[in-house]
Every structure is written in C-alpha cells, then in structure tokens.
Amino acid sequence: MDNAQLLISGLANGCVYGLIALGFVLIYKATEAVNFAQGDFMMLGAFVTIGLTNTEYMGLPFWLALPISLGIMGALGYLLDRLIIRRLFGESQTAVVILTIALGFVIRFVAGLIWGHEPQTLQNPLAGKEVRFGGLVLGMEDVAVIVVTILLTWGLYVFFSKTRLGLAMQGASQNQLAAYYMGIPVKRVQGIIWALAGVVAGIAGILFAAKGSVDPTTGLLGIKAFAAAVIGGFGSLPGALAGGLIVGVIEPFASRYIAAGYSQIAPYALLLAVLIFRPNGLFSQVRVKKV
Amino acid sequence: MRIVFKTDYMQDIRPWKDSFQLTMYLILLVIVAAAPWLLDDFYLGELTNVLIWAIAGLGLMILTGHTGQVSLGHAAFLAFGCYANVILIEAGVPFLIAFPLAGILTGIAGVTVAIPALRLHGIYLAIFTMALSILMDDVIVLAEPITGGVAGKYLGGVEIFGHLVDRWATPDQFFWLVLIVAIFVTLGYINLLRAPLGRSFIAVRDSEVSAQAMGVDVAKTKTLSFALSCAVTGWAGALMGLYAGAFNNETFSVIISIQLLMMIVIGGLGSIHGAFLGAIVIGFLPQFLSISKEYVAAAFGGNTVAIPGLEFGIFGAILICFILFEPMGMYGRWLKIRTWFELFPFYRKDMFKRQKSYLKTERLR
Amino acid sequence: MSMLEFENVTLKFGGLTAVNDLSFEVQEGEVFAIVGPNGAGKSTVFNLISRFYDPYAGSIRFDGHDLLQVKPSGVAEYGVARTFQNIELFEHATVLQNLLVGRHRHRKTNLVSEILFTPSARRQELENREKVEEIIDFLDLQAFRDKMISGLPYGVRKVVEVARALATDPKLLLLDEPASGLSVEETTDMRWWIDDIRRQMGITVLMVEHDMGLVSGVSDRVLAMADGAKLALGTPAEVQSHPAVVEAYLGKAS
Ligand SMILES: Nc1ncnc2c1ncn2[C@@H]1O[C@H](COP(=O)(O)OP(=O)(O)O)[C@@H](O)[C@H]1O
Ligand SMILES: [Mg+2]
C-alpha cells in the first residue's frame, strides 16, 4: 500500500517533468534547437497564474485566470521566437543553448523582482479535495496532473504524427531550406511551435503550483526534465512523457530504499547510463550525418 | 592605415604579427606584473581572481572554443584539481610537485570522461557534462574521508623553496604565482595553435567528416582535447582552492560550470583573448554592480539592499546581447575596432559579414 | 596496375540499395569519371572509399591494401584525398589553416614537442608552409590565403577544397562534382587544373561530375551509374552513346 502511494506521488511528479520535457521535445522536433529555459518558463507560467488568481494579487476567478495566463504564456513564447530566437536562424544549436541558459537567469531575476522569493501556492478549486481509491488516498491535484498530462501528450502526438500541419512542422525542422522550397512557411511554423511550448509550460506551471509551491528557483527543475527528455530520446513526445515518469518514480523510491546521500544521485546516474549506453535515448532514432 | 608586408614564412609561424604588436604585449605584461606596486591589496586580490578565472577559461576554451565540444560541467574538473592539489600537499608532497601533478591527474580524469562522451554530440555532450558536474557535488560529500565532505578543507598558503606563498599573508607572491601559471598556459596554448594538433582541434570543431578525410583521427583528437582542457582547468581549480583558502562540496557547483561557459562566450569563443576578456567581465561585474548600486541609491535615495539574482540577471542579459549582436564576443568586437583603425578610411561595414548557413538536420527522417 | 578496386560492393540504407553489386577499377595515372543522375549513388561510392560506411558486401582495395581494414582517418594515410559535394571546409579558419590541416598526415611531432614548439616542430611547420605555398601558387589562391573561409564566395571555396586535398600529397584524388555551381570561366580553369594535377603532379583522379563537357574533356574512362548499379563503362564517347545511358537520361528527363 505504502509503495502504491509512493508510486502515485512519483507518477504525479513525473508528469510535471514529462510536461516540461514535452516542451523541450516540441521545440527540438520543430526547430532542432533546445530551450534550456523551459523550466523557467514553467515557473513563469505558475507565477503569472498566481498573480492573476491569488487573492493577494488580482484575485480573478480561477477558470477565468486559466485561459488568460495560458494566452500570456503562448504570447511570450511567440515573442521570444519573434524577437530573439529567429535572429539565430541558421546558427549553431550551441548558440541557442547558451542563449536560453542566459534567458533562464534573466527570467528568474525578473520573476524574483515581481513576485518575491518566498514560496507561493496557487489557490485553486481542487485544493484539499481527495479521491479515495481502494485504500489509496489521492490528492485531487495529483489526479488532475496525471489526467491532463496524458491527454496533452496524446493530443500532441496525434497532431505531429497524423495531421498535415504537424507533419509539415516536422519537415520544417529536418531541412529548413528544402522545407522552404516546398512552400512551408518555416518561420511562421517556428513561431507557432514556440507559442505552443509556452502554453505547455504554462499548463505545467499551473499544475505544479497547484500541487506544491513555487519560487523563482523552481525552474531549475528543468534540469531533471531535461534528463527525462534525454532518457526518453529527444524527439519523441511519448518518450518524453515516459522519461519524465521514470525520473519521477525513481526519486521517491530511491529516497526510501537507498542510503541518504546516494538517493538524489539516482536520476543523474540513470541519465549518464542512458547517454553512455543508449546515446539516442531508450526509444531511439538513429542519427547519421549525410555528406 | 597600417599594413604588414609578408616577406618570409616565419612571419606566419611567429605568434605575433610584427614588432609593434610584440612590444604592446610586453608592455602590458610589465604593467600587470607590477600590479602589486600599483594596486592596494583588495584590488590585487580581485586581479588575482580574474587571472585564475582566465586560466580556467583557457582550459574550457581548448575544449569548447577550439574543439567545439560544449561542456557545462567544467566545475567538476576545477574541483578535481583543487582537491587533488590539497590532498597531495597534505600527504607531504611539496607544492612544486603537487601542483603540476594535480593538473596531470585532472587531465587523466578528463580522458576517462572523454571516452564514454566521444559518441555524444552537441546538446547531448552538454547535458552529459552538466550531469557530471551535478554529481560531483554528491561525490565529494560521499567521499568524506578524503575530501572532508560538507565540512570541507582548509589550506593556509603553500611553501615554495621554504618561502610562504599565501593569499592573505603574502598577496604579492600569490599574485605572481598565478601570473606565472597564466603565462605558461598561454604560451603553451599559442604554440598548440600554430602546430598540427591545434589545427586538428579546429578541424574537428568545424567539420568532423572532412577532418577524418584529411587523416585526423576524430576520437583521438577529442580525447586529447579533453585531456589538455581538463589539465589546465585542474590547475585553475588548484589555484582557486588556494585563493579561497577554505572550500567544500558547494564551492564548485554546476552554476560555476555555467558561469565559466558564459564567460568564454562573452569573451569570444575560439580565441585566447576571449578567455581573458571574459574573465575581466566575470571578475569585475560584481564590483561594478555594487558601486553603481551605491551610486543610484545616493542619487535617488533608495536603499542598497542586495537584490537576489541581480548579478546573474545582468550577466544573462549581457550574454544575450552578445549572442544576438556580436556572436564573436568581446574579442570579435575588438578585432572590428582594430581593423577600422588599421584600414582607416577604407573600412567597409560588410567586411565581417557573417554568412549564415541553413540548418540541415543530422537526423534522418 | 589498378590502383583502386571495387569488387561487388553493395550498400543499403534501410530498404534503399544505394550501391548495388558495383565493380570497377581505377588505373594508376588515369582520370576516371563517374556520371549518373542524382541519387545514383555516386557520392556514396566516395563515402565508401572514405570509410564513412561499412559496405554490406564486397571488397574495396587501394594500392594493394584492404581498405575495409582501416578506420576513416587511415584512408588519408594511404594517400587518398577528397573533396565533398556540399563543401566541407573548416569555416572558421583561414585558407592557409585549412590547407595546413591537409598536411596532418605528415605530422612527425607529438603533443609535448608541439606545446614547447621545439626546433623540430618549427622545422616541420616551415616544411608544411613551403608545401602549402606551392599549392597556393598552383591554384592561384594568393589573394585569399589569410581570409576566413566563412567570408569567401562559393567558387573560391570549391578551389580551396581542391587545394586542401592536394596539400595531403595524395596518390589518388577524389573530386565530388568539382564544377557544380561554377561559372563557365571557373569551370574552364578547373578543367586545366585537373589536367595539370594528373600530368604535372602525377596524381590519379577519380571524379563525379555532371558537366559532360568537362567529363569528356579530361577523363580517360567513364563509369555511368543508375540506382546504385553500373550501366556502362568505357571511353567518354562510348559511354555517351551507350543505349542504356541514353535511355536512363532520356527516361529521367521525360
Ligand atoms: N547517410 C544516408 N542515409 C540514408 N540514405 C542515404 C544516405 N546517403 C545517401 N543516401 C541515399 O542514397 C542514394 C544515393 O545518394 P548519393 O550517393 O548521394 O547520390 P548521388 O549519385 O547524387 O551522389 C540517395 O537515394 C540518397 O538519398
Ligand atoms: Mg552526390
């Protein structure tokens, strides 16, 4: 029973990692760039929602604040691409990596200025509610996290593998020039993807802030989500979710069953093992350069 | 307008363009070496710090700037060098042996990391090294019997030929020690760049396939680059340990890794100058910010409470500006200014124009 | 004596057979051209020689050595140099540095002597310099020797790639579409250079080229390929009038 409880809370955490990882993969799939600030985006999404709905700030009704904050996050994602990332069109991946790391620092700083450095929770209609399931007691928030994550991953997966627009977006990433010649509006597609990644980060942030507290450094969680994305194999949406769940589940079990001091190593040790033995992730695709 | 005529091949092989340039660098060196007489102890300490960061930057520059392998984990090697040096000294090894050995051991550690990392490209390598850096923290705690764990270690100065060199007691000597290391590393780096090995680093950075076709063994080259990079970083770490006096598992956190990478990007990837220029920014930004904060407070009557994350926020913003507007970093900007003067009045704006290449995937379907 | 031998070589990429049971020999001292429509597998033949891929079946021999036994960097050591269809230069280095990388296989110094820049390292650099300077003169690259590749026009880059390959002092030179994208004058230059490379330098040339004028102008023998397999092999005139080749080209055109 105890283990089942651990499993559930691990899964709920893993879903949040998975959602951030989803953001990584989205951007990677469509632009071959990596957004190291995705975790900070999530933190920002959480704070924007808190700012809109918590009583000490604007105090809007939750269900009204939700679409507004997702809209804001989408717009931020789009603007980021429009104003910054797009200028790096055709530059190396590394430039984007370093730029987004720097961006993370800036976002953390700004969030600290606006919302302070104290941990805060999102006031939401699910707070404190519980579901009983056999002998298990599940927080409503945990259930919401799991359900929303699965739906979102599934939806994105279908979008990218089945719809024409989704396939076109993938095409745009694989060979920008060729896609351009084929009439795919590469730049617009990129903008849409970044907006989408913003929205996904917003959802992750809201779920995270509903089930725990956020402060400006919460975004560093992105590192674990990054591990999740790599474990799942960059470029695979269901893989990202699976990677997130693996990392999320390992953590509580490791801290229960492995000696203190070793337990927090577990996710990174797994990450290193995956990189060494299956460098393309557990659900891999092959990468060879063509000359 | 200044023109350098080329008359023999040695002119390309010599590290300086002409005697004018050589003279300028020698003058600079003399001024820096005289710093203990020119600066008070506080600023001498800051300058020492800048030089140590510059050495660390040179270490990372070999790997990232010249071989193109991005490492977000070099703090792990700083830590390795630092602990190796101190542990050797505690075991009774004299500093003049312990210090070089610390770098060599760190180089060997680098090779053991390089071997599994050889197959990893770009972001994968970055995340691999970043994970290493995160783990290093835990490893130091777990290896408490040798590293002192969370309590850390303390080293009060070292003896060189019976002469105490200590950051606090004899800051001048400590400064010169750091300066000498910096000079040796820089000279070695310059030599490397004008020899086949350095060029093979650049070849691997710019095109692995054609490096191979030219007979460059890519795996071996990357491994060597890791070894050299880590050795230099290890020396910087050893000096950082001496500079800090006391250190523990948190001294060399992953944030230091990130800072180091950002530093060489701001300074200018792929140039020795870049490591030094970046170190100057890293070293003096905190001073600059606290001075300007006081200034603002005095002018507008605010308070001078520390703003958390300010330093990193500003640092991040500077970095973003550089990547967008001057991807070659401060050194790139300096080259443009210099060319402008040298060619005056013939400079054209498009002389340094970048040719953008379209991204092609390395992924098949 | 045949210098390069392909014997029943097959290579597959997943379901696609890029090279299909291909056999041919390049004789020492000749200029040998490979022609064929896009996607015929010509570049793949070069990549096989460069050991980027392991063939699925067959053998590749060079100068009596089994190439399949060496790693990619070992091919250059035997004296094979190449250019790439899509230009693979070292972008952020000067022309001079690019050519000097070509000298890599003649390196005699080691890590320590280079870091100390001992007299032997210095001597080696001087020798490299002289060799590279000869090639710069030969290909008329003096004006560009200290320029970064990233600022050079396309036509110059093509020449620099040839120069870099020559700097390795090869026995066999592989040129992948040396004239594609060049102007008429540049193509004419390339033609004379290829002639000189063979006659003055005594280097055997294997090239892939679409420009039939260039091919029939410089090559002794031509191999026509389609879908990874051999269509015809013979003198330029023979191949051009070969029915299978005519059909392949007309078939593609319609
Ligand atoms: N690395 C690779 N992976 C998968 N398919 C490849 C690879 N390289 C080439 N191909 C395919 O093999 C075929 C032959 O390509 P190539 O040799 O480049 O043709 P060309 O004769 O135009 O030079 C093409 O269909 C190409 O798409
Ligand atoms: Mg081709």
Side-chain angles (χ1 to χ4, degrees), chain A residues 288-290, chain B residues 364, chain C residues 13 16 18 37-44 53 85:
Chain A
V288 187
K289 187 176 174 187
K290 205 159 132 180
Chain B
L364 292 169
Chain C
F13 292 117
L16 178 94
N38 275 326
K42 306 178 299 291
S43 298
T44 306
Y53 310 127
Q85 182 174 353

Side-chain angles (χ1 to χ4, degrees), chain A residues 15 19 144-156 241 245:
Chain A
C15 281
L19 280 178
V145 168
I146 294 174
V147 171
V148 171
T149 306
I150 290 172
L151 286 180
L152 195 61
T153 312
W154 179 76
L156 289 172
L241 178 58
L245 294 180

Side-chain angles (χ1 to χ4, degrees), chain A residues 129-149:
Chain A
K129 298 217 177 90
E130 283 173 354
V131 192
R132 284 178 192 279
F133 199 79
L136 291 176
V137 186
L138 304 181
M140 250 325 237
E141 299 99 330
D142 287 351
V143 176
V145 168
I146 294 174
V147 171
V148 171
T149 306

Side-chain angles (χ1 to χ4, degrees), chain B residues 186-332:
Chain B
T186 309
L187 290 179
Y189 204 151
I190 291 173
N191 285 341
L192 189 71
L193 287 185
R194 55 187 172 137
L197 187 61
R199 286 192 298 262
S200 66
F201 287 173
I202 295 176
V204 167
R205 175 190 71 191
D206 286 357
S207 167
E208 284 189 20
V209 273
S210 63
Q212 261 176 354
M214 295 296 121
V216 174
D217 183 335
V218 173
K220 207 168 108 191
T221 308
K222 281 187 189 171
T223 312
L224 269 176
S225 174
F226 257 99
L228 289 175
S229 167
C230 293
V232 172
T233 309
W235 281 318
L239 292 173
M240 269 184 198
L242 291 181
Y243 182 80
F247 47 88
N248 69 357
N249 60 315
E250 288 179 358
T251 311
F252 303 100
S253 68
V254 68
I255 294 291
I256 302 286
S257 297
I258 294 175
Q259 221 174 352
L260 193 59
L261 179 64
M262 290 182 156
M263 177 185 108
I264 61 169
V265 174
I266 288 182
L269 281 179
S271 71
I272 293 177
H273 292 82
F276 284 91
L277 294 171
I280 292 172
V281 174
I282 278 265
F284 287 118
L285 188 67
Q287 253 62 50
F288 174 77
L289 285 181
S290 73
I291 292 170
S292 47
K293 237 185 302 181
E294 273 166 34
Y295 204 75
V296 170
F300 301 101
N303 54 16
T304 53
V305 196
I307 308 172
L310 173 70
E311 224 174 88
F312 274 107
I314 301 271
F315 197 53
I318 295 177
L319 187 77
I320 291 175
C321 293
F322 266 107
I323 291 185
L324 288 184
F325 303 112
E326 190 56 88
M328 301 305 289
M330 293 167 72
Y331 184 60

